[in-house]
Amino acid sequence: LNLPKPLVQVLGMPLIDYTLDFLAAAGVEGAVVNSHYLAEMLEAHLAGRKKSPRIIISREDGILETGGGVKNALKFFDCPAFFVVNSDIICIDGNIPALHRLWQYWDDTKMDALLLLHKVEDAVGYYGKGDFFMDTDGKLRRRTEDEIAPFVFTGVQVISRRLFEDSPEGAFSLNVLYNKNLARVAALIHDGSWLHVGSPEELAKAESWLNKHK
């Protein structure tokens, strides 16, 4: 009630700093951060951050959801493809930074989005039914309501600006855009660790896991 979620602390560090450090570790030099709820608190915290990446604030006048939030931020940069990372997760790299793996796998001729997926059975603090099935050719299929899928979307991805052509105005989910042409949505399986921190219970689970894996 009195704190924007990206400032919720995990072992004494705000979630947003885990995300920004994840970007910086992969060599990302600039990041656009969406702000809305208690925006002044988040923006004050970011103003005090002295390390990379450099930050541009994209203030949202209303809740725009995942798709609307990204679309609203497009005016701040002109690169044709870019990373998007959610702020209620902690993504820990494997042997190679996950963002490097995504960028190496990215094929602009075949993809409008490239999602980093994680095995549900290995996810920390995630208790859902998963999001996707993936066949041996890498083709994705969403689970139906009654199914349990083996892979969950991590909230880390590469997106092309093309994905937003003819997209709705205002608030909408990125899922609306994926579903328009799932054949151009590819996926890579994360080879590191992934923690979902979306509730107090998940926060406790994440802190316990991180303490054990220091």
Side-chain angles (χ1 to χ4, degrees), residues 3 13 20 42 53 60 63 72 77 107 113 148-149 160 163 190:
L3 195 70
M13 187 165 82
L20 293 170
L42 178 60
E60 299 178 3
I63 296 175
N72 185 59
F77 56 93
D107 185 343
I148 296 176
S160 168
L163 190 69
H190 185 39

Side-chain angles (χ1 to χ4, degrees), residues 142-153:
R142 286 193 177 276
R143 71 171 182 87
T144 63
E145 185 175 348
D146 297 328
E147 289 182 307
I148 296 176
F151 299 110
V152 57
F153 173 46

Side-chain angles (χ1 to χ4, degrees), residues 33-84:
V33 177
N34 290 340
S35 66
H36 172 62
Y37 181 66
L38 299 177
E40 294 82 1
M41 293 180 67
L42 178 60
E43 292 165 13
H45 172 77
L46 294 173
R49 184 181 162 91
K50 303 303 181 185
K51 48 187 178 178
S52 62
R54 67 181 182 278
I55 295 168
I56 297 171
I57 300 296
S58 176
R59 177 77 76 93
E60 299 178 3
D61 294 331
I63 296 175
L64 295 177
E65 299 186 39
T66 53
V70 175
K71 183 174 182 177
N72 185 59
L74 291 178
K75 57 182 175 286
F76 293 108
F77 56 93
D78 58 7
C79 45
F82 50 92
F83 297 115
V84 175

